[in-house]
Amino acid sequence: MTQVPCYTIINSPDLEVPNEMQLKQDLEKGDTHVKIETLKKVIKLLLNGERYPGLIMTIIRFVLPVQNHTIKKLLLIFWEIVPKTSADGKLLQEMILVCDAYRKDLQHPNEFLRGSTLRFLCKLKEPELLEPLMPAIRACLDHRHSYVRRNAVLAIFTIYKNFDWLVPDGPELIASFLDTQQDMSCKRNAFLMLLHADQERALNYLASCIDQVQSFGDILQLVIVELIYKVCHANPAERSRFIRCIYNLLNSSSNAVRYEAAGTLITLSLAPTAIKAAAGCYIELIVKESDNNVKLIVLDRLIAMKENEHMEKVMQDLVMDVLRVLAAPDIEVRRKTLALAMNLVYSRNINEMVQVLQKEVAKTHNVEHEDTGKYRQLLVRTLHTCSIKFPDVASNVIPVLVEFLSDTNELAAVDVLIFIREAIQKFPALRALIIKHLIDAFPQIKSAKIHRAAVWILGEYVEGAQILEVVAAIQQTLGEIPMVDAEQRRLAGEQSEEQQQQQQKESGDTNAGTQSSSSSSSNKVTSDGTYATQSAYSLAPVPKKEKRPPLRQYLMDGDFFIGASLSATLTKLALRYAEVQPEARAQNRLTTQVMLIMSSILHLGKSGFPTKPITYDDNDRIMICLRTLSDRTPEAVAIFKHACRDALGKMLDAQHEEDQRMIKEKQRATAKVQPDSPVLFAQLSNGRDNQLGENVFESSLNQALAGSKTAQLSDMASPNNKLNKVTQLTGFSDPVYAEAYVNVNQYDIVLDVLLVNQTNDTLQNCTLELATLGDLKLVERPHPVVLAPHDFCNIKANVKVSSTENGIIFGNIVYDTALNTNVVVLNTIHIDIMDYIIPASCTDTEFRQMWQDFEWENKVTVNTSFTDLHEYLKHLLKSTNMKCLTPNKALSGQCGFMAANMYAKSIFGENALANLSIEKPVDDPDSKVTGHIRIRAKSQGMALSLGDKISSSQKQSVQAA
């Protein structure tokens, strides 16, 4: 098929094809309004593939002379799209008349007509039409209005680029024009032509006015930056000549110019001053620009600079400037900023960074915003990393972070406890400081999960005299013991001992006795004047929202897991106190106090006062603690004293090893060299290979051609890759054979459909009719084509995608023959969900939180021919594009079962979670793997589509076996 130029695209609804005679009559005899509407209709019909060769002369005679501006604009579009050549490729005779009309328009006194005509001439591809117009185009360069002059420059540029023999002196003409111009848009267009047509003249002009570049407009400055980049990339020796100009453009008033100048500067020079200037410019842009998308793009450029080992050392001094970006309200900008600062910080500026982060922590206390909780969590994690990476600052960080424990935001408090747990294990010198602050903050904690973790840390690391302080703090947050008696008195309306003591202190000793006696009795007066007494057991529970101590409130709400954790902690404290306290009476006093608390929790759990009774697991665990304290068997004592701390140490070591392994994998990935990569010989290089990187203009063009950053041009062009995505739509014996190449490109799908006429007849109006199911939308209806006998053609169709779901495209081919209309039904095209899912990682806490929040679950039964648990996991990860969050060490070894968590994200930002639980008999090596896969997602479509993908991959593996 011949290659046709791309025209202006005008969207039009389905049109009824009118009679050609009616169109001619409207164009000939209608008034101006009728002519405008008819001309619009003709343009839409031409764009839809209709042909009206008889209309050209009618339009020349009756429409072209009209001086209406709307008609003039429509005629420009009409002459752009109408076929200008006959079947043998010769120019139509009528176009000579059109050419004369446009010569007159180029001399028209109205500057709009002149300028729009010049813009139209840029789109013409016929030199026979352009040649007679050249004197008029040149004359427009001297027009008084800048709109005409700048479009005349563009017209000369495109004509010189396509047909240089029409204007052989184009560069000289534009160079002399550039010297006399004052308007920035004209100078920009002229300089752009010199940049592409004659770089030497562009350089000479730039050298003559290099000191005035800062006073130029931003549109001209952008072209100057591009010229300098291209010249210096082609000839690095020119860098010293123009690098000062780039430095000056870093101070331009236009943000776009500053961004491009900074990017050019770091590609041309790796000097520390250049890197600092470019990074400083980027930081200023982020701080001053209000658009979050711009902030993220520029932040990515800073992160890319940090990845370069030559720039990273210089950028380490800019950590404090990078932290200025934290003033932005967007959480994603803050997340990237903190990650970048954490990667750049080093020992000399860590203290300054910690001070800034502490100020940011203080700012979040009184600010209520939807992302405040997440931001606090980010700050806590960053301070955590700072303290582990630089232990010297840990003593300053701990007091700040412990304040978060009393925060209502559980996210930040959990991260604080994770940090404290790691710090107290790794830095023995800081244990006393951490314990002191933790004991002080213990009564103010408001969350059961935080209390539970804090209790564990205190029980594991408190020693000496502080043991009694911790037990006192626990008893204070539990309230009066025994708890059942206290709750009975509270229900009866009596005051507890604590309340009585408080009242005695407030009112003094004189009348304390009367108040106490009057409050201790619950006397009621009946209707006949006699007194009656009531028992607490005879009263129906009245729901009262009374303020209780925190730990007591958790137990009353039915959370007895905190009671079991508390019992284990108290057992550890009692056993450790026995080591440091030689006096038996003191030992027994603490042990009995601890056992009273545990037995009180057990009694409360079975009393019926809490909203839920104690579970059997928690009951058994508390009983084990009581038995350990009474029997003191060496095995149980050793577990409570040493095994828990050893387990924490092993877990932290395993986490550290996993982090180091991930870092090494990333380093290894960057250092990979392909076996077919070209070998660079220093003697044969042109002197710039190792100085400048790839041409950024070329690489951005390659990315645009390839469609996405991850796609390589070689991959896109490889025939094997295309053949794998070809879907057969009709059978080989059908009159029309069709197959489609499905190209998925992020948010849209391009169907390249090949149609082959296998008959001896000419097929008229051969139309590909498509429809979609799921979150797919057909962008435009493919145009009908005419297929000669045994001819073929390619038709492209675009489909938009809006979410991660399995989509289906179906349809048919309709065509007309001499006798009747025929229909060929197509096979369905299934759009694979895997094209939108990419592996991702998250923390265990985030995984559990999402698992709890997501409402859609899909349970898939394992049905496979695999006999090895690890092999099945690998197959599942490969077929679903998910990442296994369970570390390799946890999965290593051979046993009869396996459990693993998997996670992935879609390009639309949707999360997909999966939990694999499989097993097989250990004694039967030939038995198949059995079990379930549970999938959770926020949307139903995501969960169902992922389940369908797993089921289909299992069927394929079974059939292959």
Side-chain angles (χ1 to χ4, degrees):
M1 296 179 68
T2 57
Q3 190 73 24
V4 294
C6 178
Y7 298 127
T8 305
I9 297 174
I10 300 174
N11 181 39
S12 59
D14 296 338
L15 290 172
E16 291 184 8
V17 180
N19 188 356
E20 187 173 350
M21 290 303 297
Q22 180 65 41
L23 291 174
K24 283 186 177 181
Q25 190 174 356
D26 290 343
L27 290 170
E28 185 176 343
K29 298 182 179 178
D31 59 9
T32 303
H33 181 71
V34 172
K35 287 182 178 180
I36 289 172
E37 292 303 317
T38 308
L39 200 53
K40 286 181 180 178
K41 197 178 294 184
V42 169
I43 289 171
K44 291 176 180 177
L45 289 168
L46 285 173
L47 287 171
N48 280 341
E50 302 294 335
R51 293 289 177 263
Y52 296 106
L55 285 179
I56 294 179
M57 204 61 214
T58 305
I59 289 176
I60 290 174
R61 289 176 61 199
F62 299 103
V63 183
L64 200 57
V66 180
Q67 293 300 312
N68 182 279
H69 280 196
T70 305
I71 288 180
K72 289 285 186 186
K73 285 195 283 186
L74 290 172
L75 282 173
L76 292 176
I77 300 173
F78 174 78
W79 294 122
E80 179 190 347
I81 64 176
V82 75
K84 304 171 189 64
T85 56
S86 58
D88 56 359
K90 291 184 179 179
L91 192 70
L92 295 173
Q93 294 297 321
E94 295 92 333
M95 296 309 294
I96 297 172
L97 299 172
V98 178
C99 183
D100 184 61
Y102 281 116
R103 186 178 57 79
K104 291 178 182 175
D105 280 346
L106 287 174
Q107 296 168 347
H108 198 283
N110 185 290
E111 63 272 6
F112 169 75
L113 279 180
R114 281 202 188 196
S116 55
T117 306
L118 286 164
R119 291 181 69 84
F120 159 71
L121 295 179
C122 295
K123 302 173 183 178
L124 285 184
K125 303 297 181 188
E126 291 78 21
E128 299 93 333
L129 287 174
L130 292 169
E131 190 171 6
L133 301 175
M134 289 313 301
I137 295 173
R138 284 171 172 264
C140 288
L141 286 175
D142 299 324
H143 194 270
R144 60 182 175 79
H145 204 284
S146 62
Y147 177 70
V148 178
R149 295 199 304 272
R150 69 170 177 259
N151 283 306
V153 174
L154 278 182
I156 290 175
F157 178 24
T158 52
I159 293 169
Y160 181 81
K161 186 168 62 175
N162 297 324
F163 317 105
D164 57 350
W165 49 273
L166 287 177
V167 53
D169 61 339
E172 295 91 334
L173 181 67
I174 297 301
S176 59
F177 169 82
L178 185 59
D179 291 333
T180 60
Q181 284 305 304
Q182 298 300 321
D183 183 76
M184 278 303 156
S185 60
C186 296
K187 293 175 82 169
R188 180 256 181 195
N189 287 359
F191 193 81
L192 186 65
M193 175 179 172
L194 292 182
L195 166 63
H196 291 281
D198 192 343
Q199 274 195 8
E200 193 58 40
R201 289 181 188 275
L203 285 174
N204 291 337
Y205 173 76
L206 180 58
S208 66
C209 60
I210 199 163
D211 295 330
Q212 301 157 15
V213 167
Q214 273 189 291
S215 62
F216 290 167
D218 56 346
I219 54 174
L220 181 56
Q221 287 176 341
L222 283 171
V223 185
I224 288 173
V225 170
E226 184 181 348
L227 170 70
I228 293 173
Y229 179 83
K230 287 186 173 179
V231 169
C232 295
H233 200 277
N235 185 9
E238 295 282 343
R239 283 186 294 187
S240 59
R241 184 178 170 193
F242 296 109
I243 206 153
R244 177 53 53 192
C245 179
I246 292 291
Y247 269 109
N248 292 337
L249 288 176
L250 288 177
N251 300 318
S252 169
S253 58
S254 166
N255 287 346
V257 175
R258 297 175 68 196
Y259 176 78
E260 293 294 339
T264 301
L265 182 60
I266 57 176
T267 55
L268 300 183
S269 174
L270 290 177
T273 50
I275 296 168
K276 280 187 178 179
C281 181
Y282 280 146
I283 294 167
E284 286 294 325
L285 284 175
I286 300 170
V287 171
K288 292 181 179 178
E289 184 59 48
S290 58
D291 190 344
N292 276 333
N293 293 323
V294 175
K295 289 177 185 286
L296 291 169
I297 290 168
V298 182
L299 259 176
D300 286 338
R301 294 299 297 266
L302 277 174
I303 293 168
M305 286 176 66
K306 187 266 302 176
E307 299 296 332
N308 188 315
E309 57 183 7
H310 300 292
M311 300 184 190
E312 185 176 9
K313 292 179 182 176
V314 180
M315 288 184 66
Q316 286 178 343
D317 296 329
L318 299 173
V319 172
M320 303 311 296
D321 292 323
V322 170
L323 289 174
R324 290 168 54 203
V325 182
L326 291 176
D330 185 66
I331 189 68
E332 192 60 33
V333 174
R334 287 171 161 177
R335 180 181 287 111
K336 284 194 172 187
T337 304
L338 288 172
L340 176 62
M342 198 60 245
N343 288 327
L344 290 176
V345 74
Y346 63 111
S347 55
R348 276 190 294 173
N349 54 14
I350 182 64
N351 287 315
E352 297 176 3
M353 178 175 168
V354 167
Q355 288 175 4
V356 172
L357 295 179
Q358 287 174 342
K359 289 178 183 175
E360 288 296 315
V361 167
K363 287 179 188 176
T364 63
H365 281 309
N366 299 320
V367 178
E368 285 307 322
H369 188 266
E370 58 179 349
D371 289 330
T372 303
K374 293 179 182 177
Y375 183 44
R376 287 180 194 167
Q377 189 180 26
L378 283 176
L379 290 171
V380 168
R381 288 183 179 177
T382 308
L383 287 168
H384 175 181
T385 313
C386 288
S387 303
I388 300 302
K389 197 172 177 182
F390 305 97
D392 295 341
V393 300
S395 57
N396 298 328
V397 170
I398 288 165
V400 178
L401 292 187
V402 170
E403 293 178 10
F404 277 94
L405 294 177
S406 58
D407 195 21
T408 52
N409 175 32
E410 202 173 87
L411 294 174
V414 168
D415 280 329
V416 169
L417 281 170
I418 291 172
F419 160 64
I420 288 176
R421 188 183 65 186
E422 187 172 353
I424 207 169
Q425 171 74 10
K426 289 189 173 180
F427 310 131
L430 296 175
R431 284 180 185 170
L433 175 70
I434 294 173
I435 294 295
K436 178 179 177 299
H437 282 93
L438 201 53
I439 293 174
D440 293 342
F442 191 79
Q444 281 79 41
I445 297 174
K446 300 179 179 67
S447 166
K449 187 188 293 185
I450 309 306
H451 254 129
R452 198 167 63 232
V455 158
W456 188 92
I457 294 172
L458 289 173
E460 197 61 51
Y461 292 96
V462 167
E463 293 174 353
Q466 284 184 317
I467 291 176
L468 296 177
E469 288 183 42
V470 173
V471 174
I474 290 173
Q475 192 152 7
Q476 180 188 348
T477 48
L478 262 177
E480 186 184 346
I481 302 293
M483 287 182 274
V484 174
D485 295 346
E487 289 301 319
Q488 285 176 351
R489 285 196 298 273
R490 183 190 294 269
L491 198 60
E494 299 176 7
Q495 288 184 324
S496 64
E497 293 177 8
E498 292 177 357
Q499 290 172 324
Q500 291 176 17
Q501 290 171 5
Q502 185 68 24
Q503 280 195 0
Q504 285 175 4
K505 285 179 185 175
E506 288 175 358
S507 58
D509 296 330
T510 52
N511 57 351
T514 29
Q515 283 186 352
S516 177
S517 60
S518 62
S519 62
S520 60
S521 59
S522 178
N523 294 331
K524 305 291 180 186
V525 181
T526 61
S527 57
D528 58 355
T530 58
Y531 287 100
T533 58
Q534 285 180 314
S535 169
Y537 292 104
S538 64
L539 284 174
V542 180
K544 290 182 182 178
K545 193 64 181 175
E546 298 184 30
K547 189 171 178 62
R548 294 185 177 91
L551 291 178
R552 172 84 63 87
Q553 187 61 52
Y554 306 146
L555 296 174
M556 292 300 293
D557 292 338
D559 183 4
F560 280 93
F561 186 34
I562 181 77
S565 304
L566 199 60
S567 301
T569 295
L570 291 170
T571 305
K572 292 177 191 174
L573 292 174
L575 293 174
R576 202 167 287 123
Y577 188 72
E579 289 181 346
V580 297
Q581 176 59 262
E583 189 182 347
R585 285 174 63 84
Q587 290 180 19
N588 292 337
R589 188 182 302 115
L590 182 65
T591 304
T592 51
Q593 184 181 355
V594 163
M595 293 177 81
L596 176 61
I597 293 173
M598 289 189 242
S599 57
S600 178
I601 294 172
L602 279 176
H603 189 195
L604 181 67
K606 296 178 180 179
S607 66
F609 283 108
T611 55
K612 299 175 190 172
I614 189 169
T615 62
Y616 291 112
D617 287 343
D618 294 333
N619 184 74
D620 290 347
R621 195 172 173 199
I622 296 173
M623 290 299 296
I624 289 171
C625 294
L626 285 168
R627 188 166 296 155
T628 302
L629 285 176
S630 60
D631 297 346
R632 307 276 175 121
T633 56
E635 295 83 359
V637 170
I639 289 172
F640 276 100
K641 280 187 179 178
H642 309 295
C644 297
R645 194 179 302 189
D646 294 343
L648 173 63
K650 287 176 183 176
M651 187 192 78
L652 293 176
D653 292 341
Q655 283 181 353
H656 181 69
E657 287 176 14
E658 187 69 17
D659 293 341
Q660 293 299 113
R661 187 182 64 79
M662 296 290 290
I663 293 171
K664 284 180 182 177
E665 279 185 3
K666 285 182 182 177
Q667 292 173 345
R668 199 179 303 130
T670 54
K672 246 178 210 173
V673 178
Q674 297 298 331
D676 57 348
S677 296
V679 179
L680 292 177
F681 295 95
Q683 290 83 355
L684 303 177
S685 68
N686 56 10
R688 67 172 185 269
D689 287 338
N690 294 320
Q691 298 177 30
L692 298 176
E694 61 177 345
N695 190 323
V696 292
F697 291 98
E698 292 296 328
S699 61
S700 61
L701 178 62
N702 288 346
Q703 284 179 11
L705 291 173
S708 64
K709 291 187 178 180
T710 55
Q712 299 292 329
L713 279 177
S714 58
D715 296 340
M716 298 294 294
S718 72
N720 292 334
N721 190 31
K722 287 193 173 185
L723 287 174
N724 290 335
K725 294 188 177 181
V726 170
T727 304
Q728 186 178 339
L729 300 179
T730 63
F732 291 114
S733 60
D734 284 319
V736 179
Y737 172 73
E739 64 182 25
Y741 165 58
V742 184
N743 181 20
V744 178
N745 180 17
Q746 287 201 342
Y747 302 108
D748 62 345
I749 301 166
V750 180
L751 299 179
D752 190 352
V753 184
L754 171 69
L755 300 181
V756 182
N757 180 6
Q758 302 195 107
T759 67
N760 295 320
D761 302 325
T762 299
L763 306 183
Q764 300 285 343
N765 289 329
C766 187
T767 308
L768 177 67
E769 296 181 346
L770 296 174
T772 58
L773 278 180
D775 279 340
L776 304 176
K777 183 182 178 184
L778 192 66
V779 176
E780 57 181 337
R781 186 169 55 88
H783 299 312
V785 294
V786 177
L787 281 178
H790 301 289
D791 192 9
F792 65 90
C793 72
N794 284 77
I795 296 177
K796 284 190 168 67
N798 289 324
V799 178
K800 285 289 177 190
V801 188
S802 56
S803 73
T804 314
E805 288 187 22
N806 282 337
I808 297 175
I809 301 173
F810 60 95
N812 49 49
I813 296 171
V814 182
Y815 62 90
D816 298 335
T817 60
L819 300 175
N820 55 5
T821 301
N822 300 282
V823 177
V824 179
V825 179
L826 305 178
N827 286 336
T828 56
I829 301 173
H830 292 270
I831 304 303
D832 195 353
I833 186 178
M834 291 305 103
D835 291 318
Y836 307 110
I837 286 184
I838 52 175
S841 58
C842 65
T843 63
D844 288 344
T845 309
E846 291 168 344
F847 184 91
R848 290 193 189 97
Q849 188 63 43
M850 286 189 287
W851 188 270
Q852 183 179 342
D853 294 343
F854 291 169
E855 55 185 359
W856 292 105
E857 179 173 314
N858 187 10
K859 192 173 184 180
V860 181
T861 304
V862 173
N863 177 22
T864 181
S865 59
F866 282 94
T867 58
D868 184 83
L869 300 176
H870 294 87
E871 289 299 322
Y872 179 77
L873 176 61
K874 287 179 185 175
H875 166 73
L876 190 65
L877 295 175
K878 184 178 179 182
S879 59
T880 58
N881 277 3
M882 300 190 88
K883 181 177 181 181
C884 182
L885 299 180
T886 309
N888 290 331
K889 283 197 172 184
L891 298 172
S892 59
Q894 292 293 334
C895 63
F897 63 89
M898 175 188 286
N901 291 334
M902 296 172 289
Y903 177 59
K905 287 189 83 168
S906 74
I907 61 172
F908 305 101
E910 299 164 314
N911 298 301
L913 313 174
N915 173 259
L916 171 71
S917 300
I918 51 178
E919 62 178 349
K920 63 164 285 185
V922 183
D923 53 355
D924 186 3
D926 296 329
S927 62
K928 304 287 191 296
V929 172
T930 59
H932 292 90
I933 303 157
R934 294 168 66 198
I935 304 159
R936 284 203 178 182
K938 198 168 188 179
S939 63
Q940 184 184 18
M942 182 83 162
L944 293 177
S945 300
L946 204 52
D948 292 343
K949 180 64 183 175
I950 293 173
S951 300
S952 62
S953 68
Q954 289 189 148
K955 286 178 186 175
Q956 291 171 4
S957 67
V958 171
Q959 290 169 0

